Amino acid sequence: MSGFSLRSLTFMLLIAFMVWSSSFEACIARRGRHWRHRSRATSSSSSLYSKKKGKNHGSSSGSSHHNYRGGSKPKAPPHYKAAPPVGPPPPPTVVKPGDDTPASPPKYKGGYNNGVHFNVRDFGAKGDGSTDDTKAFQAAWAAACKVEASTLAVPAQYQFLVGPISFSGPYCEANIVFQLDGTIIAPTDPKAWGKGLLQWLEFSKLRGITIQGNGLIDGRGSVWWQEASPYDDPADDELKLIIPLNSTVHEHPPVPIRSKLSGKMPSIKPTALRFYGSFNVTVTGITIQNSPQCHLKFDNCVGVLVHDLSVSSPGDSANTDGIHLQNSKDVLIHTTSVACGDDCVSIQTGCSNVYIHNVNCGPGHGISIGSLGRYNTKACVSNITVRDVVMQNTMNGVRIKTWQGGSGSVQGVLFSNIQVSEVQLPIVIDQFYCDKGSCKNQSTAVAVSGITYERIRGTYTVKPVHFACSDNLPCTDVTLNSIQLKPVQERYHMYDPFCWQTFGELMTPTVPPIGCLQIGKPSSNRLQSDHDSC
């Protein structure tokens, strides 16, 4: 009996313990849920406090950010790209003046694009085509400049009148996108230009700057083109080779009549869009038209990408080069159409590693290296490739032009698969370039060597080949391969191929025969001194 009572008591105690344990776990669970609920409330409260604090301390945050930039933290090199994030990026954030967001948003830490957008309309731009929106663009840029990988948006269906402006660093963050979907037009009031400026829209000292979109930059250059300017380049030297069949053909067809209401524009004509001293520059998708002078210029830039660009101005608009490169390297231009009144692409001194392909050119003066060596200067150009290009009704096809008296060199150039249609002078090397009445004969020259022409085909209207090289420093290693050029009698006197002091190799028979090319190397060629070499 006592044994039975002991077992019963033990069993009852076990049952009681289990019931008590169950109640305790439920209590702990309830306490846990209550703790988590309080945690969310505390987090929410902290978030609200942070927002208020951010608003109150926005200026101080911006000041701290600026001071930190001058500190010792190393910056990523321009080519640095952060690894892609895991998972989808957050939705874009739109920042407007007056919002409760901090005045200086947090710095981009890498990974996905933080998607901060600055719309010029939110900074006061009207976009009605008549109100001056320059200050609104300046304010939007000042905000975007502080945020890495931000976007400055120029929305579609608006026309923004913008005066001369500089979107400049070097204290801007990297990888800013200028999203151009609307239209930017230049002022035609002379007062907006003062005594004249060299550029209209300038981007300088930036890292990873991109201009993209479906928008338009319109320089409204017809108000500048009517009168010649002392700052203009004189008429292209190759015009002396193009002699009309009769005197009724104009060397310079009339340009559009300028509006009497516009007043007299300054003598100095601006470039529409210029990049200076910048790394990793991209221009894609947009259209640039009717620039007063050059349309798109790159000076002292490293890492340039231009594609799916359209450049358009009348063929008689003087000195309106399409794309101008100077002291820039690592350049890629492709899938682009250029119609203008001067060179479709101009490659000047200090350029190297330039690759141009799939470009339509015309009207215009073709694709040119130079002019180089003017005023006895040193010029260095190397590693240039131009291929898969279509040229129609241009003055020149592919051209190298240098002045007497210069020094330096042009070397390592390939012109390949160029289709020409009624081009006046498809292949040109001119070491006697002179765009004025007469030039002094000089013995020194920019050395030209290692130039290859292959698969240059189509029709010409004046002369298929013009090689005029220096007496003291002939052109060497000039290679011709698969050249097939047929004449089309149009408005000009026609001439046979011309060569002077040009040495190289014929890889295949040419049409027409180019017997004037001297095979091999010159017997006595002046060696480049250390001073002349690049």
Side-chain angles (χ1 to χ4, degrees), residues 458-473:
T459 59
Y460 68 93
T461 60
V462 175
K463 185 187 298 185
V465 173
H466 181 81
F467 289 146
C469 296
S470 167
D471 291 316
N472 293 335
L473 194 61

Side-chain angles (χ1 to χ4, degrees), residues 397-399 425-429 453 456 463-467 480 483 485 514:
V398 288
R399 172 173 59 162
L425 304 162
I427 299 175
V428 176
I429 297 178
Y453 301 88
I456 316 291
K463 185 187 298 185
V465 173
H466 181 81
F467 289 146
L480 301 177
I483 309 298
L485 298 169
I514 306 175

Side-chain angles (χ1 to χ4, degrees), residues 306-371:
V306 177
H307 65 96
D308 296 283
L309 177 75
S310 177
V311 173
S312 176
S313 65
D316 50 23
S317 54
N319 300 304
T320 55
D321 293 57
I323 302 173
H324 179 98
L325 306 174
Q326 184 166 334
N327 293 314
S328 295
K329 63 181 181 179
D330 303 333
V331 178
L332 173 58
I333 300 171
H334 69 89
T335 321
T336 288
S337 294
V338 181
C340 60
D342 211 300
D343 294 327
C344 292
V345 181
S346 173
I347 302 169
Q348 297 291 331
T349 184
C351 290
S352 63
N353 300 334
V354 177
Y355 185 29
I356 301 168
H357 69 96
N358 294 97
V359 170
N360 292 327
C361 171
H365 292 189
I367 294 179
S368 295
I369 297 175
S371 59

Side-chain angles (χ1 to χ4, degrees), residues 276-314:
Y276 172 78
S278 296
F279 295 87
N280 294 345
V281 180
T282 299
V283 180
T284 178
I286 67 171
T287 296
I288 309 174
Q289 70 180 26
N290 297 329
S291 176
Q293 194 145 316
C294 179
H295 287 79
L296 175 60
K297 180 181 289 187
F298 298 93
D299 290 337
N300 291 276
C301 292
V302 177
V304 173
L305 173 61
V306 177
H307 65 96
D308 296 283
L309 177 75
S310 177
V311 173
S312 176
S313 65

Side-chain angles (χ1 to χ4, degrees), residues 164-324:
I165 186 171
S166 179
F167 304 98
S168 61
Y171 300 114
C172 286
E173 294 295 338
N175 303 322
I176 297 175
V177 174
F178 192 99
Q179 183 69 36
L180 176 60
D181 294 312
T183 297
I184 300 176
I185 61 174
T188 55
D189 183 352
K191 295 179 181 178
W193 300 97
K195 295 182 179 180
L197 296 169
L198 294 175
Q199 53 270 329
W200 169 32
L201 307 175
E202 181 183 41
F203 291 79
S204 66
K205 300 180 181 178
L206 299 169
R207 297 166 294 133
I209 178 68
T210 295
I211 295 185
Q212 66 181 26
N214 299 309
L216 169 67
I217 294 175
D218 187 351
R220 301 206 285 183
S222 61
V223 298
W224 303 80
W225 298 331
Q226 184 67 24
E227 296 180 6
S229 163
Y231 297 96
D232 285 344
D233 290 334
D236 199 308
D237 185 46
E238 263 60 74
L239 279 171
K240 70 180 182 294
L241 305 175
I242 302 168
I243 302 175
L245 291 173
N246 57 67
S247 59
T248 62
V249 178
H250 293 280
E251 278 192 1
H252 300 287
V255 296
I257 300 300
R258 150 168 131 176
S259 169
K260 294 180 180 179
L261 300 176
S262 65
K264 184 175 178 61
M265 303 302 286
S267 297
I268 301 175
K269 300 176 182 178
T271 289
L273 178 59
R274 179 191 186 225
F275 292 87
Y276 172 78
S278 296
F279 295 87
N280 294 345
V281 180
T282 299
V283 180
T284 178
I286 67 171
T287 296
I288 309 174
Q289 70 180 26
N290 297 329
S291 176
Q293 194 145 316
C294 179
H295 287 79
L296 175 60
K297 180 181 289 187
F298 298 93
D299 290 337
N300 291 276
C301 292
V302 177
V304 173
L305 173 61
V306 177
H307 65 96
D308 296 283
L309 177 75
S310 177
V311 173
S312 176
S313 65
D316 50 23
S317 54
N319 300 304
T320 55
D321 293 57
I323 302 173
H324 179 98

